[in-house]
Amino acid sequence: MKPSIFSPASLVAAAAMTLCVSATMPAYAADVTIRWGDVVGGSHPQVMMIDKVADIVSKKSDGRIEIQSFPGGQLGGSRDMIEAVSSGVQQMVTEGAANFGQWVPWISVVEAPFIWKTPEQMISVLNGEMLDEINAQLAPAGMHAISALYYGTRHLTTSNKEIKTVADMAGFKVRVPQNDVFVAMAKAWGAKPTPINFNELYLALQQGLVDGQENPLPTIKSGKLNEVQKYIILTGHIRTPRMVVVNNDFWMGLSEEDRTIITDAVKEASTWANAEIMKQEDSLISEFKAGGVTVIEPDVESFRKATVDAVPPLFTKVWGEGTYEKLQNME
């Protein structure tokens, strides 16, 4: 007599066969995979934003779209990843607006020193008609900006020197990003600008290759730069915008529905990230002080005057006559 298909022996055999088949079948793969890179560390709000976007997009697309996060410069430095997105090797990147100046020459004005009054002003202006103007010039380079973000207000840090006025910056070797506006700003301070990739900055500070650097407080925290810096100087010299940029051919190859899913997810998650950065900026001063870092409130006006007198005139031809002043008053 044959055993029943519902007998214990048959059920065990069936379960074993199911496990065997499951072990040999390939894992489910999404229809669309997006590699999204960033130079900042994994604990930064804008990296956490990528994870939030990935989660929202996966759910709304029923798993058809997978977003993979590559923080901490895993896919290269700023220029490496921008060029990779331009060529289509990489699908998405979050990067400082001024780093797209090769294709949009005037864009560096949005990251100019002492131009934005508040983070809210910056976010509103850059996500309005200006974003369309930026995209018109990014398109021939194969890129499309989905959104502008608030990266934070930048402050100076030093390894072993108190800075109280801009005069104290004479001969100071300061790490700046690889763009002309930051280099010009450092020179206006009397410092020696030294461009270094962010993912190499901690070691450069630790080894004394530079005397200090400048970044927003949340970036200083996520990059653990406070471990190798003794002073934070609250210069507040730049409110930095960053942009979420995608390869244009890849973007247009998606359905309108999928583009909407991703755009809406970026908008939702970026609103959270912007608020989280502002929240951290409010609390980090006390945290850094408790960790042994000395916080100095310098003569900001000395920095502002030296910068505004020297930097905007150098870029009038690139930015356009009166553009710097116009943006200061936009809402």
Side-chain angles (χ1 to χ4, degrees):
M1 181 176 178
K2 293 182 179 180
S4 167
I5 59 171
F6 297 109
S7 69
S10 296
L11 291 173
V12 170
M17 182 176 293
T18 301
L19 287 172
C20 181
V21 171
S22 297
T24 57
M25 289 179 66
Y28 171 78
D31 294 339
V32 176
T33 300
I34 298 173
R35 288 156 53 89
W36 186 342
D38 200 329
V39 295
V40 299
S43 65
H44 192 278
Q46 289 182 352
V47 173
M48 297 170 69
M49 177 194 73
I50 299 176
D51 295 332
K52 287 182 178 293
V53 173
D55 184 56
I56 295 168
V57 168
S58 178
K59 288 176 180 175
K60 289 190 175 180
S61 69
D62 295 323
R64 290 184 299 99
I65 305 174
E66 178 188 8
I67 295 178
Q68 300 173 347
S69 177
F70 294 89
Q74 293 178 45
L75 300 180
S78 296
R79 289 189 178 180
D80 298 327
M81 286 196 286
I82 290 173
E83 289 173 359
V85 170
S86 176
S87 68
V89 173
Q90 180 178 324
Q91 288 74 44
M92 291 180 71
V93 67
T94 309
E95 255 306 331
N99 288 332
F100 294 89
Q102 177 179 342
W103 302 278
V104 189
W106 56 264
I107 199 173
S108 58
V109 71
V110 307
E111 204 167 342
F114 301 103
I115 191 169
W116 302 114
K117 297 182 181 71
T118 66
E120 291 81 4
Q121 177 203 18
M122 187 200 78
I123 293 166
S124 175
V125 172
L126 292 183
N127 282 302
E129 293 180 2
M130 183 167 283
L131 194 64
D132 295 332
E133 296 177 20
I134 291 169
N135 278 326
Q137 295 193 46
L138 282 180
M143 292 182 283
H144 174 83
I146 298 175
S147 181
L149 315 170
Y150 174 59
Y151 186 52
T153 298
R154 303 179 82 97
H155 303 285
L156 181 69
T157 72
T158 74
S159 300
N160 52 26
K161 183 178 181 180
E162 293 189 18
I163 302 290
K164 295 184 177 178
T165 75
V166 74
D168 297 329
M169 292 296 293
F172 187 87
K173 189 180 291 186
V174 59
R175 178 269 175 184
V176 292
Q178 298 177 348
N179 71 65
D180 293 342
V181 174
F182 281 79
V183 169
M185 176 187 69
K187 288 181 177 178
W189 294 349
K192 296 180 179 179
T194 308
I196 296 173
N197 283 335
F198 184 81
N199 56 345
E200 300 170 352
L201 180 54
Y202 183 98
L203 190 60
L205 292 168
Q206 187 179 51
Q207 294 181 344
L209 299 179
V210 288
D211 302 318
Q213 63 88 49
E214 50 78 57
N215 258 304
L217 300 178
T219 306
I220 294 169
K221 178 185 177 181
S222 67
K224 300 181 180 180
L225 304 184
N226 52 297
E227 295 179 353
V228 287
Q229 295 288 267
K230 187 175 180 180
Y231 300 100
I232 293 177
I233 322 299
L234 299 178
T235 47
H237 49 277
I238 292 177
R239 299 189 195 278
T240 296
R242 299 183 91 211
M243 297 195 306
V244 175
V245 174
V246 63
N247 174 267
N248 199 46
D249 287 342
F250 167 80
W251 186 243
M252 297 310 298
L254 298 175
S255 68
E256 183 176 351
E257 176 189 1
D258 287 349
R259 290 199 299 270
T260 299
I261 287 173
I262 294 170
T263 299
D264 288 349
V266 169
K267 183 177 180 180
E268 179 180 339
S270 64
T271 298
W272 172 86
N274 292 338
E276 181 64 20
I277 285 176
M278 293 180 206
K279 178 182 174 183
Q280 287 191 17
E281 287 182 316
D282 288 340
S283 64
L284 280 173
I285 294 296
S286 297
E287 182 177 324
F288 287 141
K289 286 180 177 179
V293 177
T294 299
V295 177
I296 296 174
E297 295 189 15
D299 176 6
V300 174
E301 180 57 24
S302 70
F303 281 87
R304 191 200 68 79
K305 188 175 189 316
T307 305
V308 173
D309 285 352
V311 176
L314 292 175
F315 294 90
T316 298
K317 289 184 179 179
V318 177
W319 295 345
E321 188 73 39
T323 301
Y324 181 88
E325 294 75 16
K326 178 183 176 182
L327 285 181
Q328 283 183 313
N329 297 310
M330 288 182 69
E331 296 295 338

